[in-house]
Amino acid sequence: MITDTATGGAAAAKEPSKNEGIKEASHYLRGTILEGLADASTGAVSEEDSQLLKFHGTYLQDDRDLRAERRKQKLDKAYIFMVRVRVPGGVCTPKQWLEIDRIADRYANGTIKLSTRQAFQLHGILKGNLKNSIKEVNEALLCTLAACGDVNRNVMCNPNPHLSAIHAETLDYALKLTQHLSPRTPAYHEIWLDKERVAGGDTGGGDDDSSPDKVEPIYGKHYLPRKFKIGIAIPPSNDVDIFSQDLGFIAIAENGKLVGFNVAVGGGMGMSHGNKATYPRLGDVMGFCTPEQMVDVAEKVVTVQRDYGDRSERKHARLKYTIQDRGLLWFRSEVEKRLGYKLATARTYTFDGNGDRYGWVEGGDGRHHLTLFIEGGRLRGKQKNGLREIANIHDGDFRLTANQNIIIAAVSAEKRPQIEKLLKEYDLDQTYSSVTGLRRGGMACVALPTCGLALAESERNLPLLVTELEKVIREAGLQEQEIHIRSSGCPNGCARPYLGEIGVVGKVPGKYNLYLGAAHDGSRLNKLYKDVLTNEQIVAELTPILRRYAVERNPDEYFGDFVIRAGYVKAVTSGAVDFHD
Ligand code: SF4
């Protein structure tokens, strides 16, 4: 139901945050990035440029495993960069796969991280290799622009071509949104692709009086108050966790034809420990639009957030807070005012899960699709080599899923036996045939050693925790049961941990807050069950619950629903109101 709590109006004038000043002074994202890259005296860049580099798709990090030792030796931090490659809808060609694989080996740490937003992440790149890495990503017809930063990021879309006839059409809308909401500044091309800086107003180049309307017609020179995330779901799959997105489109099909999208706004995961003014929130469905209206609706939602989002407090700057503070009715009417028409009433839809389905399926066109489980989304060693060999012969495409897995998609009947042989040779077949439902339902953000915000391990810890939990899972006969367990190294929640039936969120090194009770289809947040637990304590807490679940669950009852029925946690109805109760 839509409620209203505010009347709207211009955002109250408060002191803008430091980042707003950095954006304003950057001449449309240029800053002194070029000079910083050329400075061989340090492996880092200035604080201002490190903020701007995010818009270009790269983060300055350091190897935190080496911090203490280097400090002892009075050495600078071991600076490295992470490069995030946008892959709209997660679809890339075998040729692009091979290029990412090569760039990972040549410039990064030889691994590929599949992100929770269907992007590639390459870690451990030295400053001297950053330009070539990004340039070569672009030569492969992929892009890093706006993979991070206060702009619209990689547009997610259900990647399963076999799921519905409307898939290709929907994917096309993901591409249209990506294109329409990409920053227009030529800074990216100048810095990474050696394009000459063009004089005149449309470059934005250093001319503070050049018109923002010309340079960045949607964003202006301050871009957005904070990051902005868009996803498109195709029911019955909610694999993209549509309610975690700032803006979500739920595809509605009638008689096998795409008729439009329900529009959900105001989702987001991040919060801060101990700060109840911050919270995860699920998006609200505010109406329905036709396919032709969709890009315009997205633009208007973005511009309302651009104009009314909080630019003084970055912890309060996401769209979810704008909507929570001003009310959904106000927000919808502001969007409709800019559109010049009203959104239609939302249509009915049903989701049946937010996980992936593993193994082979055959599509209507006779092509075959295989979803592989990739633990923590990290490809290295034998698995990475196997996928390279598959890319060498594959005649379809690859699809990165929102759950950090891979679909080897559109395999022809002739190629399938060759691919199956390679899967066996490189132990990739094991990834979907013999792991427990708990492990398959896992997601983990990177956290240590590269993420500067990590309070605890995540990607390196989750497999260890799952191994311990599997003892009770097997003993209780739950090995086939899909249970979604999600781990993040800090409360920012990159692995969408508050939508895990079991959520594990880093609090301090070696200790985690344990959340329980999210819905299996991504429609309900979980709730804090116990805080500051070691792995051992998490296992001790979960063991009796899992045992009870094995014997007392109703037919088809998911773990997230059971823990609420059994009284372990209360159901969260609105993240903003009762997540922290
Ligand atoms: Fe880093 Fe926190 Fe995101 Fe994990 S959730 S990648 S620790 S910011």
Side-chain angles (χ1 to χ4, degrees):
M1 194 172 80
I2 296 175
T3 56
D4 202 6
T5 57
T7 52
K14 285 190 250 160
E15 193 67 23
S17 71
K18 194 172 156 210
N19 284 57
E20 294 301 315
I22 294 172
K23 286 182 269 184
E24 176 162 343
S26 75
H27 310 310
Y28 299 98
L29 308 181
R30 290 180 179 88
T32 54
I33 292 173
L34 269 176
E35 293 84 337
L37 291 176
D39 178 1
S41 69
T42 169
V45 293
S46 70
E47 165 58 21
E48 288 78 9
D49 287 342
S50 79
Q51 294 302 325
L52 296 173
L53 277 171
K54 294 178 186 175
F55 292 78
H56 296 254
T58 180
Y59 273 72
L60 172 64
Q61 304 182 320
D62 73 289
D63 187 335
R64 293 178 61 180
D65 283 350
L66 304 179
R67 259 191 206 176
E69 184 54 34
R70 289 181 72 91
R71 198 179 302 130
K72 230 177 6 192
Q73 293 185 26
K74 299 195 174 8
L75 290 171
D76 219 352
K77 288 176 179 169
Y79 289 113
I80 44 178
F81 289 82
M82 178 273 278
V83 166
R84 187 177 291 154
V85 182
R86 270 198 315 188
V87 189
V91 181
C92 76
T93 64
K95 209 167 151 198
Q96 289 170 328
W97 185 279
L98 290 170
E99 275 303 285
I100 292 295
D101 182 85
R102 185 189 64 75
I103 295 166
D105 287 350
R106 174 140 191 222
Y107 300 119
N109 62 4
T111 74
I112 299 171
K113 172 86 174 176
L114 308 175
S115 88
T116 52
R117 293 193 60 79
Q118 298 177 292
F120 289 116
Q121 283 185 189
L122 306 175
H123 293 267
I125 297 173
L126 297 176
K127 188 168 85 172
N129 289 327
L130 189 57
K131 182 163 175 172
N132 278 341
S133 306
I134 293 180
K135 196 169 173 203
E136 290 175 29
V137 162
N138 278 271
E139 283 164 2
L141 303 182
L142 289 165
C143 189
T144 68
L145 175 65
C148 331
D150 298 343
V151 280
N152 174 54
R153 298 188 174 185
N154 196 38
V155 177
M156 297 173 74
C157 184
N158 173 281
N160 296 303
H162 67 281
L163 266 186
S164 123
I166 62 167
H167 184 273
E169 214 179 336
T170 310
L171 183 63
D172 197 44
Y173 282 102
L175 297 172
K176 282 186 179 131
L177 286 172
T178 301
Q179 205 169 22
H180 190 71
L181 296 173
S182 282
R184 311 275 164 88
T185 171
Y188 185 83
H189 291 77
E190 289 167 18
I191 293 169
W192 310 106
L193 308 179
D194 293 328
K195 295 276 156 47
E196 294 233 335
R197 189 164 169 173
V198 187
D202 68 344
T203 67
D207 326 291
D208 283 339
D209 53 352
S210 63
S211 159
D213 288 351
K214 273 188 166 176
V215 188
E216 290 287 10
I218 295 176
Y219 292 119
K221 67 161 95 165
H222 295 99
Y223 294 84
L224 294 181
R226 201 71 174 79
K227 59 186 161 189
F228 195 89
K229 299 179 177 183
I230 299 181
I232 307 175
I234 307 179
S237 174
N238 186 23
D239 56 349
V240 300
D241 275 326
I242 204 71
F243 303 114
S244 72
Q245 313 282 343
D246 292 274
L247 172 58
F249 289 102
I250 302 167
I252 304 292
E254 283 170 13
N255 303 319
K257 280 203 162 20
L258 180 71
V259 295
F261 300 92
N262 280 353
V263 183
V265 289
M269 289 284 100
M271 63 162 204
S272 303
H273 286 313
N275 179 356
K276 289 188 177 178
T278 65
Y279 42 80
R281 183 182 191 277
L282 295 188
D284 300 295
V285 175
M286 70 168 179
F288 171 88
C289 67
T290 64
E292 297 71 35
Q293 294 168 335
M294 183 232 223
V295 172
D296 199 24
V297 168
E299 182 190 304
K300 301 305 185 276
V301 168
V302 164
T303 62
V304 175
Q305 165 63 359
R306 176 197 66 196
D307 297 344
Y308 289 93
D310 186 343
R311 290 184 183 267
S312 62
E313 170 55 77
R314 285 180 69 78
K315 284 186 188 306
H316 186 255
R318 292 283 298 273
L319 177 62
K320 61 182 175 180
Y321 299 113
T322 313
I323 290 179
Q324 191 64 32
D325 294 349
R326 293 174 177 272
L328 186 62
L329 273 185
W330 168 83
F331 185 78
R332 191 178 73 183
S333 78
E334 188 62 32
V335 169
E336 288 173 339
K337 199 160 76 190
R338 295 174 189 218
L339 285 169
Y341 55 85
K342 290 202 176 301
L343 294 170
T345 306
R347 309 276 174 99
T348 53
Y349 60 92
T350 314
F351 287 130
D352 64 6
N354 59 354
D356 288 338
R357 285 172 182 71
Y358 299 91
W360 286 101
V361 288
E362 192 177 341
D365 58 357
R367 292 249 164 187
H368 302 250
H369 315 283
L370 172 67
T371 305
L372 292 177
F373 165 65
I374 306 298
E375 188 153 36
R378 182 70 67 173
L379 283 166
R380 54 159 62 88
K382 199 170 179 184
Q383 285 196 339
K384 179 167 163 292
N385 295 342
L387 279 157
R388 185 191 313 128
E389 293 306 317
I390 289 171
N392 274 321
I393 62 157
H394 183 28
D395 57 1
D397 55 41
F398 288 96
R399 294 172 182 229
L400 317 187
T401 82
N403 288 285
Q404 302 180 300
N405 297 309
I406 295 166
I407 304 173
I408 304 171
V411 178
S412 63
E414 306 79 67
K415 277 278 178 318
R416 180 166 164 172
Q418 287 178 56
I419 288 183
E420 282 184 325
K421 192 162 164 274
L422 287 170
L423 290 167
K424 239 189 190 52
E425 198 177 322
Y426 288 91
D427 294 339
L428 282 158
D429 57 338
Q430 303 298 319
T431 68
Y432 59 94
S433 59
S434 61
V435 288
T436 61
L438 179 73
R439 195 174 292 272
R440 282 199 307 256
M443 269 206 325
C445 74
V446 180
L448 294 166
T450 53
C451 176
L453 300 172
L455 304 173
E457 296 280 353
S458 178
E459 184 188 323
R460 298 192 293 198
N461 182 62
L462 186 62
L464 308 176
L465 176 61
V466 168
T467 299
E468 289 308 307
L469 288 171
E470 276 177 332
K471 291 176 188 160
V472 57
I473 287 278
R474 289 186 200 282
E475 170 205 299
L478 291 170
Q479 54 271 39
E480 292 305 320
Q481 180 66 40
E482 286 276 339
I483 300 176
H484 296 158
I485 179 166
R486 294 177 170 188
S487 162
S488 275
C490 84
N492 285 327
C494 295
R496 302 191 289 278
Y498 312 112
L499 282 168
E501 294 174 282
I502 302 172
V504 179
V505 177
K507 185 79 188 278
V508 293
K511 296 198 174 168
Y512 300 86
N513 285 0
L514 176 63
Y515 295 81
L516 297 178
H520 196 79
D521 67 357
S523 63
R524 182 183 63 237
L525 292 165
N526 56 21
K527 194 160 184 65
L528 183 65
Y529 178 60
K530 293 274 165 81
D531 66 354
V532 210
L533 303 178
T534 60
N535 270 9
E536 215 178 2
Q537 290 167 324
I538 293 173
V539 175
E541 291 291 344
L542 288 177
T543 296
I545 307 177
L546 286 164
R547 283 187 180 140
R548 266 190 77 186
Y549 173 59
V551 293
E552 293 180 25
R553 66 187 153 151
N554 291 328
D556 299 327
E557 187 175 33
Y558 288 111
F559 185 70
D561 298 330
F562 171 77
V563 292
I564 290 169
R565 184 172 64 82
Y568 291 103
V569 286
K570 279 196 199 142
V572 172
T573 53
S574 158
V577 176
D578 55 359
F579 182 78
H580 290 298
D581 276 357

